[in-house]
Amino acid sequence: MNIYDLIEQLRADPDLAPKIRTTTHAKGSQIIKQGEVCGDVIFLRKGLAQMSYVTFEGKEWIKSFFAENAIMGARRCQILGEPSHFAITCLEDCEITAVPYDGLRKLAARAPDLMAIFFDFNEQVSMRKEKREYEFLCLSAQDRYQGFLEDYAHIVPRLTQAQIASFIGITPIALSRIRKRINQAESRGVVGAQ
Amino acid sequence: MNIYDLIEQLRADPDLAPKIRTTTHAKGSQIIKQGEVCGDVIFLRKGLAQMSYVTFEGKEWIKSFFAENAIMGARRCQILGEPSHFAITCLEDCEITAVPYDGLRKLAARAPDLMAIFFDFNEQVSMRKEKREYEFLCLSAQDRYQGFLEDYAHIVPRLTQAQIASFIGITPIALSRIRKRINQAESRGVVGAQ
DNA sequence: GACTGGCATTAACCCGGGTTTATTGGGCAT
DNA sequence: ATGCCCAATAAACCCGGGTTAATGCCAGTC
């Protein structure tokens, strides 16, 4: 199910339709700011975005990337109405459609097929988070990096090393060292083509 | 909503009722083994259990603890029918009620209030996982330990240091060093009662 | 009381990653 | 071509946590 069909389905509801807004955001701007409340479910039509925490010391740790056709939101705001612990920032110019969560939740209560879609969506998110927990618990930084290159191959070309490092939980310097190690291992291990 | 009421509600369904089994498991035994398929949703009536990964090198990393009145299961098995990446092990003698996920899922599709319960349950799990991701990304081992003591105060007395260490992603030796640091800081900082 | 096994702690050593600072090199505007 | 900015790399140093092995400390049990 792509988000365009889903948004069409939401627009069909007369209560919800007037609350649905489509907007554009320039690269670098923030769709949700850390510490603010935003109860919207955000459908990313175009562009690339990240969710990230900024710590007291001013360091930024990226918790997720989102590309075209993704669904984002701050669960904490949606469910509890409390301020978001993280920000959503545009890494490229973005086009989004925002739908208030409570309206969506009410509609879903009346529309079992919609509830099922979000139920399945939650399951997908759960499984991604489970994998990420596994990687932090059991894998080294190098293993996490190599796993990232595979899993996110489609967006890797659009990211900087610093962004990738922040996502796997290390500094850009440490990532640079890891890349060096990998290159050295490869040049030692691989016999030249001729 | 406690699990006893929920189980009663599930038993009311004639299709599902015969598939519901209540069993006991001795301390140390495994309810789900790593690498095996178990599509059950497991209601923990009594006892204490853990979910954990065992790596190639034989090290065990604990991903969650569950006490009385908790709901557990391997999402991967339930949703995809694939082998579980982790095991569920009893830390005390346990009494559980197991319900097949697909039956539950079908019933939920017909019973919106049940779907809503599981939807909310998923939201709770999502928020816990989000917190855990934050802790691994942004906090030091010491901060994670002190956070654990607060969040899990009710089960801390039932756990060993090694289990706590495994949960926060360090070795028991490292945890012992952290505890020493904390004690020293306290004895320096706190003025005696008299 | 002596033996045993499991848990927690300690010490000694090593290594990966953080920190700081400096260098390189590629885009891009003027 | 020049100068600027930023991403990426490199070098030097430090520290937290892993590893191994030894010690202390109970609680059972015979």
Side-chain angles (χ1 to χ4, degrees):
Chain A
M1 175 116 198
N2 77 54
I3 62 168
Y4 293 90
D5 296 339
L6 186 52
I7 293 169
E8 279 319 299
Q9 187 175 342
L10 300 180
R11 272 198 227 280
D13 183 75
D15 294 337
L16 197 54
K19 297 175 184 160
I20 299 177
R21 293 143 293 144
T22 296
T23 53
T24 60
H25 297 256
K27 173 176 175 175
S29 64
Q30 294 191 320
I31 298 174
I32 295 182
K33 292 189 172 59
Q34 193 166 339
E36 288 187 1
V37 177
C38 173
D40 288 336
V41 174
I42 296 165
F43 299 89
L44 181 59
R45 307 166 74 97
K46 286 183 194 145
L48 186 67
Q50 67 173 29
M51 286 183 182
S52 66
Y53 303 102
V54 176
T55 66
F56 333 96
E57 305 97 35
K59 294 174 90 175
E60 179 180 62
W61 295 113
I62 298 175
K63 70 187 234 78
S64 335
F65 295 111
F66 295 91
E68 299 78 15
N69 206 42
I71 304 178
M72 325 182 275
R75 307 294 284 149
R76 205 178 133 81
C77 302
Q78 294 168 355
I79 300 166
L80 304 176
E82 294 180 12
S84 173
H85 282 157
F86 54 80
I88 299 183
T89 309
C90 301
L91 301 180
E92 302 172 357
D93 293 347
C94 287
E95 186 182 319
I96 66 172
T97 296
V99 183
Y101 177 74
D102 56 350
L104 203 56
R105 187 78 180 73
K106 276 178 205 140
L107 176 58
R110 286 180 276 127
D113 60 327
L114 191 61
M115 177 67 105
I117 288 172
F118 282 103
F119 192 91
D120 292 342
F121 172 73
N122 278 344
E123 285 182 339
Q124 299 304 317
V125 174
S126 296
M127 298 219 304
R128 267 214 310 280
K129 289 297 156 203
E130 196 157 294
K131 180 164 189 202
R132 192 154 159 81
E133 180 181 43
Y134 166 78
E135 291 171 341
F136 275 106
L137 264 181
C138 299
L139 300 187
S140 66
Q142 177 164 339
D143 290 341
R144 290 203 299 276
Y145 173 62
Q146 293 181 307
F148 180 84
L149 293 185
E150 286 179 29
D151 297 347
Y152 291 79
H154 58 298
I155 58 164
V156 165
R158 296 157 77 180
L159 301 173
T160 66
Q161 302 299 329
Q163 284 158 352
I164 297 174
S166 173
F167 181 78
I168 62 177
I170 59 177
T171 60
I173 294 95
L175 179 55
S176 182
R177 281 190 290 236
I178 287 172
R179 286 159 56 84
K180 189 179 179 184
R181 250 184 272 155
I182 293 173
N183 285 335
Q184 286 176 348
E186 275 180 359
S187 60
R188 266 203 314 277
V190 175
V191 178
Q194 51 172 359
Chain B
M1 174 117 197
N2 76 54
I3 62 168
Y4 292 91
D5 296 338
L6 187 51
I7 293 169
E8 279 320 298
Q9 188 175 342
L10 299 180
R11 272 199 228 282
D13 182 75
D15 293 337
L16 198 54
K19 297 175 185 160
I20 299 176
R21 291 143 294 141
T22 295
T23 53
T24 59
H25 297 255
K27 173 177 175 175
S29 65
Q30 294 192 319
I31 298 174
I32 294 182
K33 292 189 171 60
Q34 193 167 340
E36 287 188 1
V37 177
C38 173
D40 288 335
V41 174
I42 296 165
F43 299 89
L44 182 59
R45 307 166 73 98
K46 284 182 195 147
L48 186 67
Q50 66 172 30
M51 286 183 182
S52 66
Y53 303 102
V54 176
T55 65
F56 332 97
E57 305 96 36
K59 295 175 89 175
E60 179 181 61
W61 295 112
I62 297 175
K63 70 187 234 79
S64 335
F65 295 110
F66 295 91
E68 299 78 13
N69 206 41
I71 304 178
M72 326 181 274
R75 308 294 286 148
R76 205 177 132 80
C77 301
Q78 293 168 355
I79 300 165
L80 305 177
E82 293 179 15
S84 172
H85 282 157
F86 54 79
I88 298 182
T89 308
C90 300
L91 300 179
E92 301 173 356
D93 292 348
C94 288
E95 185 181 319
I96 67 171
T97 296
V99 183
Y101 177 74
D102 56 351
L104 203 55
R105 187 78 180 73
K106 276 179 205 140
L107 176 57
R110 284 180 277 128
D113 60 326
L114 191 61
M115 178 67 104
I117 288 171
F118 282 102
F119 193 90
D120 292 342
F121 172 73
N122 278 343
E123 286 183 338
Q124 299 304 316
V125 174
S126 296
M127 298 218 306
R128 266 216 311 279
K129 289 296 155 202
E130 196 157 293
K131 180 163 190 203
R132 193 154 158 80
E133 180 181 41
Y134 166 78
E135 290 172 339
F136 274 105
L137 263 181
C138 300
L139 300 187
S140 67
Q142 177 165 338
D143 290 341
R144 291 203 299 276
Y145 173 62
Q146 292 181 307
F148 180 84
L149 292 185
E150 285 178 29
D151 297 346
Y152 291 80
H154 57 297
I155 58 164
V156 165
R158 296 156 77 180
L159 300 173
T160 66
Q161 302 300 330
Q163 283 157 352
I164 296 173
S166 173
F167 181 77
I168 62 178
I170 60 177
T171 60
I173 294 96
L175 179 55
S176 182
R177 282 190 291 235
I178 287 172
R179 285 158 58 83
K180 191 180 179 183
R181 274 202 298 264
I182 293 173
N183 285 336
Q184 286 175 349
E186 275 179 0
S187 61
R188 269 202 314 277
V190 175
V191 178
Q194 51 174 2

